[in-house]
Amino acid sequence: MEMLETDWWTLEIPPEFEVSQEDDLVIIEDEDGVGCLEISTLVREEGRVGAAEIAEFSLELRESGIAPQRARIGGWSGELYEHEDDGFHWREWFL
């Protein structure tokens, strides 16, 4: 296993996945090119992210009719949006 570390989180990457980074975006792809995980991190300088900030970042998804689900991952909570777009399945977390 490869250990991927950023300033904000750490993730173990199985050997069949490749990792690349572009600016503030981490891209994790399987060796067959079938799946892709993109992780971007925005961090407030002070305080916690609240419901208003999450609503602001997810506004476009909600306006397109995608309903959020409550999400909890580790110590973070927020919203999860699942949808199809151009034949691709998307899961977008705002935590």
Side-chain angles (χ1 to χ4, degrees):
M1 291 270 189
E2 175 186 347
M3 193 64 88
L4 172 62
E5 295 185 41
T6 72
D7 291 339
W8 306 105
W9 49 268
T10 303
L11 184 64
E12 287 186 56
I13 306 294
E16 63 271 13
F17 289 86
E18 295 181 18
V19 177
S20 60
Q21 291 183 281
E22 298 176 11
D23 298 321
D24 294 331
L25 181 67
V26 174
I27 303 168
I28 303 168
E29 298 179 276
D30 70 353
E31 60 189 7
D32 298 328
V34 175
C36 176
L37 176 65
E38 296 180 359
I39 304 171
S40 59
T41 307
L42 298 173
V43 179
R44 288 185 64 148
E45 289 185 27
E46 294 182 15
R48 298 182 64 103
V49 173
E53 287 92 357
I54 289 175
E56 183 179 333
F57 282 116
S58 62
L59 179 62
E60 187 176 318
L61 292 167
R62 286 184 285 107
E63 287 181 339
S64 68
I66 301 167
Q69 302 171 44
R70 293 187 61 94
R72 182 176 267 316
I73 298 175
W76 298 296
S77 62
E79 298 177 346
L80 164 63
Y81 294 82
E82 291 189 75
H83 59 97
E84 300 288 327
D85 186 19
D86 291 330
F88 294 99
H89 181 79
W90 290 80
R91 287 186 184 151
E92 300 187 53
W93 286 271
F94 296 85
L95 306 169

